[in-house]
Amino acid sequence: MDIEVSYDCCAGLDVHQGNVVACILHGKRTSTRPKAEKCTFGTTQTQLNQLADWLARFDCQAVAMESIGVF
């Protein structure tokens, strides 16, 4: 089964009480595999702003979040 790539850049966030682990896949939609980058951010407003800046730096087009707790 072939999967059609929809985004040049997308990210997944794993949200915890004290941090957010972000993984981003980026690269032009070609036959090559996208590059993966991973970074951990804190949960203060300043640190979440850094996360937003990090995603914007890659021109991230879609983000999915996961959290198993209530935050």
Side-chain angles (χ1 to χ4, degrees):
M1 178 171 88
D2 290 333
I3 297 174
E4 185 176 326
V5 177
S6 299
Y7 300 102
D8 289 332
C9 183
C10 60
L13 305 180
D14 192 4
V15 180
H16 302 275
Q17 186 173 7
N19 65 31
V20 178
V21 180
C23 181
I24 198 164
L25 295 176
H26 61 94
K28 294 295 180 192
R29 291 184 256 173
T30 64
S31 60
T32 61
R33 297 192 73 135
K35 286 185 66 178
E37 309 276 345
K38 185 177 171 183
C39 196
T40 301
F41 298 89
T43 56
T44 66
Q45 187 63 56
T46 299
Q47 294 163 327
L48 294 174
N49 289 341
Q50 291 170 347
L51 167 59
D53 292 342
W54 186 73
L55 293 170
R57 192 167 56 240
F58 289 98
D59 193 25
C60 187
Q61 299 163 319
V63 178
M65 291 181 7
E66 175 193 26
S67 175
I68 58 171
V70 178
F71 301 115

